[in-house]
Amino acid sequence: MENWSVDQVCNWLRQRNLGELVPKFREEEVNGAALLALNDRMVQQLVRKIGHQAVLMDLIHKYQQQKSGLESLTYCCETASPKFPEVISGKNLKSFFARYKMLQWTSSYALPDFPYDVKCLLAEKKCPDHSMRIRIIEFLQADMTKYLEGSLYPNSQQYNIVVNALLQAYPFLDEDGNGFLLWKRALKDRFKYVRRPIEDDEQVLRNKCKFGHRRGQTRKSSSAENKLDDIQVQAEEEPVHLEGSAMDVHIKWLKQEYMKTQRNWKEVDNRMNVTIEMRRKMIRDKAPLKDILRLYPFLRCPYQLFREFQLLTHMDIYKKTVEILEVYSENILSLYVVRNNPINIMLQENLKRHTEEDILKYMKMTAACLLLPDVFGDDSSLFAAVNEEVKTATPVLEVKNPFNVNSCEFALYVEREELAQLDDCTMALAALVAAFHVFNIPCPKRIHRTLNFLESLVFEVRSP
């Protein structure tokens, strides 16, 4: 921490929910050395809120205690006499060396030597795409496992150490101040994936026994135990309902703000950032969509849907969709397979009624969007319902009067319920692609080629 720059100190503050202090720390040029030298009077001048003063001083004191403990422990181990095992023995000796090993791991961790292509990308300070992010996470997971001597169960502090090392080495990976949470979540998910095949591992069985699971146990013996188990499962699935919890406060605020006509969008962004881990857990655990939208109603807003997609993938879905339609619309409309399609026929009839360049471009982009499934031989009913009722449960667009500039309507439906009203075909197409990712919904086979084409362009996997 002593060698941290001002930017690294600011990242450290954001990761500990002290983002409000960043402007003042930048103004006063507080780097790592200055941070550790702060006393009570200086903190009072820098920080206005008493709560933030207390949290900041506590974090500084804990770091200083940890540092002094490491130094004294190292000195003790270097100068210990031959009689040392007589002084510390049995359980005490085991815990002593476990603690020493942990502190040593903390102080000595260094990032792995990434492959050549990853190093080139990082050297250019380019944000990695989806596949490259996965490669980075895989190398970090393998390196952590090596440091942990084969263990697949890092603790929270060890995750924090590795992610902090990554963001300090490559600060541009911390996009919008949310990088720490996203990289840590991805790293934890990678360990979960690797652990999946080792259900009979002795360490797994010991952990199960530790938390009340008996070997070979398949069901509870009494109705009372069954009821208790149901309550525990419900509590694990919906921790946001715990009375008085900080998470509950955020969700209550989001619900109230959603009902207002004038919304504080900056605070909405902050609250959605704070609750993203809980929200992603609900979605991964297949919580009903109605429950997710009830707790996080702002996911009905196209802006927040796109923002959630960007937090997950670091891609601007709306910007990419605009580029796709502008580049490919003319090519799509010129294909033989769409020449006699009802959408194309409707387009040609409406083009004759208008001469304005902007309106003509809008109509062609709308037609190209709606014709995409026909180009790839997919089922268009799973993509958009044009002037008809929505019949599919997976994300689908409802489109009314697509070529009438004054009365056209676009809406996104999920599970046959309207999720959001959309301004035009570009926003509609972006929302459709985003919905599959944000709500973790499998893509139907009969629309797979169309969505695969769009995603390959959004994630820059290839250039068709």
Side-chain angles (χ1 to χ4, degrees):
M1 185 181 281
E2 293 90 337
N3 299 323
W4 282 4
S5 65
V6 175
D7 287 337
Q8 289 171 326
V9 170
C10 292
N11 286 335
W12 179 79
L13 290 170
R14 291 191 193 97
Q15 290 158 13
R16 283 148 184 81
N17 295 325
L18 296 173
E20 294 180 23
L21 310 183
V22 168
K24 188 65 175 175
F25 272 61
R26 284 192 186 280
E27 181 185 341
E28 299 294 336
E29 298 183 357
V30 179
N31 58 18
L35 178 67
L36 295 176
L38 292 176
N39 56 33
D40 292 344
R41 184 180 57 81
M42 295 176 183
V43 170
Q44 287 172 8
Q45 291 177 343
L46 272 172
V47 183
R48 184 169 56 86
K49 295 180 180 178
I50 295 176
H52 287 170
Q53 293 175 9
V55 171
L56 183 62
M57 288 305 299
D58 182 58
L59 289 170
I60 294 171
H61 287 156
K62 283 181 179 177
Y63 177 83
Q64 290 170 338
Q65 288 171 2
Q66 184 183 25
K67 182 185 174 187
S68 62
L70 177 61
E71 290 171 351
S72 62
L73 186 58
T74 304
Y75 175 79
C76 176
C77 290
E78 289 173 350
T79 60
S81 68
K83 295 182 179 180
F84 178 73
E86 297 176 10
V87 180
I88 304 176
S89 60
K91 276 189 177 181
N92 291 335
L93 182 63
K94 185 177 179 181
S95 67
F96 176 87
F97 279 112
R99 174 65 179 159
Y100 170 66
K101 188 176 179 182
M102 176 61 205
L103 290 172
Q104 198 175 37
W105 195 96
T106 302
S107 63
S108 64
Y109 181 78
L111 288 173
D113 188 20
F114 291 117
Y116 179 74
D117 57 335
V118 176
K119 287 194 287 189
C120 289
L121 182 81
L122 295 174
E124 294 173 4
K125 297 186 177 180
K126 290 183 179 178
C127 289
D129 59 18
H130 184 66
S131 59
M132 192 65 75
R133 287 172 64 83
I134 291 174
R135 292 196 66 198
I136 293 172
I137 287 296
E138 287 175 348
F139 271 85
L140 289 178
Q141 179 267 315
D143 192 60
M144 285 183 71
T145 304
K146 179 191 73 175
Y147 264 84
L148 297 169
E149 298 180 352
S151 172
L152 297 174
Y153 294 86
N155 59 35
S156 183
Q157 184 183 0
Q158 288 163 340
Y159 282 121
N160 293 344
I161 291 165
V162 173
V163 176
N164 272 325
L166 179 68
L167 297 185
Q168 286 171 27
Y170 309 104
F172 60 91
L173 296 178
D174 188 15
E175 292 188 8
D176 302 325
N178 301 312
F180 180 85
L181 179 64
L182 295 175
W183 285 98
K184 182 178 178 181
R185 178 75 265 169
L187 191 56
K188 292 177 78 172
D189 286 345
R190 176 65 190 172
F191 269 98
K192 286 181 182 178
Y193 176 80
V194 173
R195 287 197 298 262
R196 192 179 300 170
I198 60 165
E199 293 179 357
D200 294 328
D201 185 271
E202 276 302 315
Q203 189 170 3
V204 177
L205 295 175
R206 283 199 300 272
N207 286 341
K208 286 183 175 181
C209 293
K210 180 179 177 181
F211 293 101
H213 180 92
R214 295 188 293 276
R215 192 183 290 261
Q217 180 183 25
T218 57
R219 58 182 295 176
K220 298 289 182 182
S221 58
S222 68
S223 59
E225 288 177 329
N226 276 328
K227 188 173 181 181
L228 178 61
D229 189 56
D230 291 341
I231 293 171
Q232 289 172 340
V233 169
Q234 185 178 2
E236 289 175 0
E237 290 180 348
E238 298 183 340
V240 293
H241 296 302
L242 295 176
E243 188 175 347
S245 70
M247 194 65 67
D248 194 43
V249 172
H250 289 300
I251 289 172
K252 184 177 179 181
W253 186 93
L254 287 168
K255 288 181 182 179
Q256 293 173 346
E257 192 70 10
Y258 184 74
M259 302 305 293
K260 298 178 182 178
T261 52
Q262 297 293 327
R263 295 161 178 166
N264 182 350
W265 286 108
K266 184 176 181 180
E267 186 62 20
V268 169
D269 290 350
N270 292 335
R271 305 263 182 168
M272 291 293 280
N273 285 349
V274 171
T275 57
I276 187 171
E277 193 164 354
M278 183 60 67
R279 186 163 59 255
R280 301 317 305 170
K281 183 180 185 304
M282 286 185 70
I283 292 171
R284 284 194 304 272
D285 293 344
K286 306 297 182 184
L289 182 64
K290 288 183 179 179
D291 291 348
I292 296 168
L293 295 176
R294 177 173 53 83
L295 298 178
Y296 306 100
F298 279 98
L299 288 178
R300 293 180 176 275
C301 301
Y303 162 74
Q304 283 298 330
L305 188 67
F306 298 157
R307 190 171 179 276
E308 188 94 351
F309 182 90
Q310 189 165 13
L311 289 174
L312 295 173
T313 65
H314 292 268
M315 290 291 177
D316 186 337
I317 182 69
Y318 182 76
K319 180 181 176 182
K320 290 288 183 182
T321 306
V322 171
E323 294 172 359
I324 292 169
L325 288 180
E326 287 182 346
V327 170
Y328 289 95
S329 58
E330 291 289 348
N331 291 338
I332 290 170
L333 295 176
S334 65
L335 293 173
Y336 177 79
V337 292
V338 303
R339 188 171 299 171
N340 297 320
N341 188 284
I343 296 292
N344 201 6
I345 294 171
M346 196 186 312
L347 168 68
Q348 299 306 324
E349 291 175 354
N350 281 273
L351 287 177
K352 298 173 184 177
R353 302 172 189 171
H354 298 276
T355 57
E356 299 91 335
E357 187 176 341
D358 290 344
I359 294 179
L360 296 178
K361 181 180 177 182
Y362 166 81
M363 287 184 176
K364 289 180 179 180
M365 289 177 66
T366 301
C369 171
L370 299 177
L371 288 168
L372 272 172
D374 297 284
V375 171
F376 292 97
D378 283 339
D379 186 347
S380 58
S381 67
L382 297 178
F383 185 82
V386 182
N387 293 331
E388 60 183 31
E389 183 183 353
V390 170
K391 297 176 182 177
T392 180
T394 53
V396 67
L397 299 176
E398 182 192 55
V399 185
K400 295 180 180 179
N401 308 315
F403 303 113
N404 189 322
V405 179
N406 298 318
S407 63
C408 61
E409 295 179 12
F410 295 86
L412 174 66
Y413 275 68
V414 182
E415 296 183 0
R416 299 185 181 87
E417 298 267 340
E418 184 180 302
L419 185 77
Q421 289 281 342
L422 306 156
D423 294 343
D424 53 34
C425 67
T426 309
M427 185 178 286
L429 186 58
L432 179 68
V433 176
F436 279 99
H437 283 268
V438 169
F439 298 112
N440 198 21
I441 297 172
C443 172
K445 288 184 179 179
R446 289 182 293 156
I447 200 69
H448 173 75
R449 285 182 289 243
T450 303
L451 290 179
N452 186 55
F453 166 78
L454 293 169
E455 289 177 356
S456 68
L457 293 172
V458 169
F459 294 122
E460 301 174 352
V461 176
R462 61 187 175 91
S463 181

